[in-house]
Amino acid sequence: MKENLKKHRILTGVAASSGIAVGRALFINRASGGSFSTEIIHPKHFVREEKRLERAVADQACEFENAETKVRGMSQEQSDLLEAYSMICRDPKLMELARKAIRQDRLPAGLAWEKAVRSVLKSFEKIDVPYLRERAEDVKSVGSRVAARLRGRKAEPSPALGCRVIMAHDLTPADTLALAPENILALATEMGGQTSHTGILARGQRLPCVVGVTGLEEAARDGAMVIVDGIRGLVIVNPMPDELAAYQKKQELLNLFEARLRQEAHLPAKTEDGCRVRVYGNIETTNDALRIRDLGGEGIGLYRTEFGYLSRLDLPTEEELYADYTRIVRGMAPDRVVLRTLDIGADKSLAGIPKLEESNPVLGLRSIRLSLYCPDLLRSQCRAILRAATHGNAALMFPMVSGLRELRQAKGIIEEARRELLERGEPCAENLPVGVMIELPSSVFLAPALAKEADFFSIGSNDLIQYILGVDRENKYVSYLYQPLHSAVLEAVRQVVEAARQAGIRVSVCGEMASDPFCLPLLMAMGIDEFSVTPQAIPILKYLIRRLNMPELRKLLAQVYDKVSTETTRRLMEKYMNGRFSQELQFINLGAKEDA
């Protein structure tokens, strides 16, 4: 123990909430470990095991519900998360799978529950969208807590005495509610990703947070001095004196910078010479929308509606979709909300959709193609959006459009949905703006034609870069080739902007490129009208925009057009931005990933 307390370690994880904290570590839970008996049970014990399971699930659901009652009216984000956890616990299909495993497979309650959870998690296995893939962590977290109860080892968080850096194998909203927020300096966990619930809670409380830290439990012990760097995604255990001094100074500067960001957050995104652009936020759930205005966002540039499908075991009804979309549209009014239609592939387990075996699902039946393959699915979603649009300022956007045929077919389904609503006597939007997400090389080449039939463009930078360069950014062997400043990528953006200009429609950029400070000057110079970014990037992006001027950026763009080497362009942009924002760039998380 003494040796571990003194050993200096630098651990790498995922920066889930920006900030820096220096303090003593306190673990509130570790990996549960242990396994259930694999003994096959006798039929006479079926009822006993079912009752054990029902009691564990009910007790866990009550814990979440009691915690939700405590935060109701104080934190909508935490309230929504706890409500979702309770719903996972009480999901009848999950319980049905567990009962089936008890009676048909003759498994004891613990093994039956774990089998049921694994079955549900299979629907998340092949999801290639990070924020959706990480929703499986919510199911895992609920599953592990119920399993712990069945083992008779319900974990209770330790009380935090004095300010501490709270560490854990994983954290649930209920865990954090057992701690006094004023006593928490930062969070660090072995499990989770950037969009997991721990990150959401940390950002809501403005706490530095690093998740997915391999080796955290082994390296750190209660009482060890630690630094949590929520900018670079580091946890430094037992820092050296010079590291400690440097981070304490950096922490002071960061506090001043964040205070300035908050002070300026609601100022318009207007360059020094008066060029006005708009900065929107990207969201996955209704609770994410609450933060957009607080952070200075001017609307929602991308609502990823697929979460409303993949976070459940059955298809949402039109009424459920309508209620969800209306809550966001009405809540953001008069600001705009862009709702992207379902953006998943046929390789995902989705009720009502046949799961197809495809050798390469990334290039298969997905996004708009899947929606056109299952027109009833799209028609239901369009009806919900058309109805919700009557409550505010809404627009609809189709993902992964490759050509005119797809766009025209999809627009035809919108009109069918509108006619059905009118026949039902339902109010619906008469002129719903329809946008196209530019994510494929074909849509770049056909941008002039698409611009004549679309009301706006949104460049989905992540997928567009991958398809142009043929690079999987999640593949560690080739991810170095994923270069937003590649000449081919910049030329594609230029062509799309030019097509939009000729047609008189607006064009936005979303994905990582939109919040990359080294791409920002070039996108501005090309004429991008809007940026749609992860909520926490909104204040920083607006801060940078207000300190740029267009004549200078256009000269910079002209220099870039003369470059062929991506590395040369990158060095040029780094030199320019470091020259103007040397202090600010050290506080910006340049490694954050986001799906577009």
Side-chain angles (χ1 to χ4, degrees):
M1 179 69 75
K2 290 181 179 179
E3 183 179 347
N4 281 331
L5 280 171
K6 295 178 181 178
K7 190 172 181 181
H8 173 262
R9 295 283 299 277
I10 299 179
L11 307 176
T12 303
V14 177
S17 181
S18 187
I20 294 170
V22 179
R24 298 285 178 180
L26 175 67
F27 271 89
I28 65 169
N29 74 57
R30 296 179 184 271
S32 59
S35 59
F36 293 106
S37 169
T38 57
E39 182 179 350
I40 298 300
I41 62 173
H42 192 279
K44 69 179 181 181
H45 296 312
F46 286 167
V47 174
R48 180 196 68 189
E49 292 303 300
E50 286 178 338
K51 287 184 176 179
R52 281 187 63 226
L53 176 64
E54 290 166 2
R55 185 166 56 251
V57 169
D59 288 348
Q60 187 57 59
C62 283
E63 179 182 303
F64 290 136
E65 288 159 5
N66 291 337
E68 192 273 334
T69 301
K70 291 180 183 178
V71 299
R72 193 180 301 158
M74 295 186 295
S75 171
Q76 188 62 43
E77 279 191 318
Q78 291 193 43
S79 177
D80 288 347
L81 277 168
L82 287 161
E83 183 180 2
Y85 270 43
S86 176
M87 289 174 65
I88 292 172
C89 256
R90 297 189 183 279
D91 191 290
K93 290 192 176 181
L94 186 57
M95 183 61 77
E96 181 184 338
L97 288 170
R99 287 198 185 99
K100 182 178 178 182
I102 290 173
R103 292 188 171 269
Q104 292 188 9
D105 301 329
R106 298 176 61 181
L107 296 178
L111 284 179
W113 173 255
E114 289 186 336
K115 182 177 180 179
V117 170
R118 284 197 303 271
S119 178
V120 171
L121 290 175
K122 281 185 179 179
S123 63
F124 293 90
E125 281 180 358
K126 295 183 180 179
I127 294 177
D128 54 0
V129 179
Y131 81 90
L132 287 175
R133 193 165 57 229
E134 287 164 5
R135 296 285 68 80
E137 294 299 326
D138 293 341
V139 178
K140 286 181 184 177
S141 183
V142 171
S144 66
R145 292 181 74 85
V146 172
R149 286 180 179 275
L150 288 167
R151 290 189 184 95
R153 293 202 303 272
K154 177 179 174 290
E156 291 290 351
S158 304
L161 303 174
C163 291
R164 291 289 187 269
V165 173
I166 301 302
M167 295 187 169
H169 178 71
D170 195 13
L171 288 171
T172 69
D175 288 332
T176 59
L177 287 170
L179 301 164
E182 63 272 16
N183 289 336
I184 304 176
L185 294 174
L187 302 174
T189 64
E190 282 231 7
M191 300 297 291
Q194 189 179 29
T195 57
S196 62
H197 57 79
T198 303
I200 293 172
L201 293 170
R203 290 192 292 272
Q205 296 182 8
R206 298 184 184 277
L207 292 172
C209 178
V210 181
V211 298
V213 185
T214 303
L216 181 66
E217 295 183 59
E218 178 186 353
R221 292 291 182 268
D222 286 349
M225 176 63 72
V226 294
I227 296 171
V228 175
D229 185 338
I231 300 169
R232 295 193 295 162
L234 300 177
V235 175
I236 303 174
V237 182
N238 299 308
M240 298 297 196
D242 57 336
E243 284 179 312
L244 193 58
Y247 265 100
Q248 288 171 336
K249 179 62 177 177
K250 190 174 181 180
Q251 189 177 32
E252 293 174 10
L253 294 173
L254 174 60
N255 291 339
L256 293 173
F257 180 58
E258 288 182 336
R260 189 166 188 180
L261 287 179
R262 289 193 294 272
Q263 185 180 17
E264 297 185 10
H266 297 282
L267 296 176
K270 184 185 293 185
T271 62
E272 292 174 335
D273 57 313
C275 178
R276 179 76 161 91
V277 296
R278 297 189 178 276
V279 179
Y280 298 98
N282 299 335
I283 66 166
E284 292 92 47
T285 63
T286 52
N287 42 304
D288 293 325
L290 301 173
R291 301 179 62 234
I292 299 296
R293 279 216 180 98
D294 289 342
L295 293 168
E298 300 175 83
I300 296 171
L302 172 62
Y303 176 34
R304 302 180 177 101
T305 62
E306 50 272 12
F307 179 72
Y309 291 79
L310 292 172
S311 61
R312 52 192 295 160
L313 299 177
D314 56 354
L315 280 177
T317 65
E318 178 189 325
E319 289 304 317
E320 288 173 324
L321 293 175
Y322 166 64
D324 180 39
Y325 302 161
T326 298
R327 191 158 49 245
I328 293 178
V329 171
R330 184 180 284 156
M332 292 301 298
D335 295 329
R336 186 179 68 171
V337 176
V338 178
L339 299 103
R340 182 177 68 183
T341 58
L342 195 60
D343 189 18
I344 61 170
D347 57 321
K348 313 302 183 291
S349 295
L350 194 62
I353 296 179
K355 187 175 180 182
L356 306 178
E357 292 298 327
E358 299 178 285
S359 60
N360 191 351
V362 175
L363 299 178
L365 192 66
R366 57 180 300 185
S367 305
I368 187 64
R369 302 168 184 176
L370 179 62
S371 293
L372 294 175
Y373 183 79
C374 303
D376 288 342
L377 193 70
L378 178 59
R379 198 175 291 111
S380 173
Q381 190 172 25
C382 287
R383 287 196 300 266
I385 294 173
L386 285 164
R387 292 169 63 191
T390 62
H391 298 284
N393 183 1
L396 179 151
M397 181 165 64
F398 293 118
M400 204 177 175
V401 172
S402 64
L404 281 170
R405 180 182 177 183
E406 288 172 338
L407 178 57
R408 289 169 178 169
Q409 283 182 297
K411 289 177 70 176
I413 289 177
I414 294 177
E415 291 309 311
E416 291 174 14
R418 182 180 280 110
R419 285 195 298 271
E420 290 170 0
L421 290 173
L422 292 174
E423 289 171 3
R424 282 163 35 182
E426 294 272 9
C428 63
E430 293 182 11
N431 298 300
L432 179 70
V434 175
V436 169
M437 203 157 195
I438 306 294
E439 302 175 272
L440 298 171
S442 62
S443 59
V444 173
F445 297 137
L446 294 175
L450 291 170
K452 293 177 182 178
E453 302 199 21
D455 296 304
F456 61 93
F457 280 163
S458 180
I459 298 174
S461 63
N462 293 354
D463 275 344
L464 183 61
I465 294 169
Q466 290 190 116
Y467 286 122
I468 286 178
L469 302 180
V471 174
D472 177 3
R473 66 182 179 139
E474 300 294 332
N475 185 321
K476 64 181 180 180
Y477 301 109
V478 297
S479 59
Y480 72 95
L481 294 170
Y482 180 89
Q483 297 287 348
L485 292 175
H486 193 286
S487 298
V489 174
L490 297 179
E491 175 58 19
V493 174
R494 188 198 66 77
Q495 288 186 31
V496 173
V497 173
E498 179 60 25
R501 285 286 166 271
Q502 292 295 326
I505 65 173
R506 296 179 71 81
V507 58
S508 68
V509 174
C510 62
E512 291 174 32
M513 193 177 186
S515 56
D516 187 330
F518 303 120
C519 295
L520 175 64
L522 301 182
L523 295 173
M524 293 279 293
M526 288 183 193
I528 293 297
D529 301 296
E530 300 163 358
F531 294 86
S532 191
V533 298
T534 185
Q536 59 266 30
I538 293 172
I540 296 171
L541 199 64
K542 293 179 73 176
Y543 177 94
L544 297 176
I545 290 170
R546 284 194 296 272
R547 286 157 178 81
L548 297 172
N549 69 81
M550 293 305 292
E552 194 172 277
L553 299 188
R554 292 189 184 104
K555 290 179 182 177
L556 189 65
L557 181 62
Q559 292 179 56
V560 167
Y561 282 149
D562 290 335
K563 311 296 180 187
V564 177
S565 164
T566 302
E567 188 57 38
T568 302
T569 299
R570 184 78 185 185
R571 284 199 299 268
L572 177 66
M573 298 311 301
E574 288 176 351
K575 180 180 179 181
Y576 176 78
M577 291 300 284
N578 280 314
R580 293 187 64 100
F581 303 104
S582 59
Q583 290 295 318
E584 293 89 339
L585 288 179
Q586 67 177 312
F587 302 127
I588 298 175
N589 180 3
L590 302 178
K593 287 193 174 183
E594 184 197 13
D595 174 70

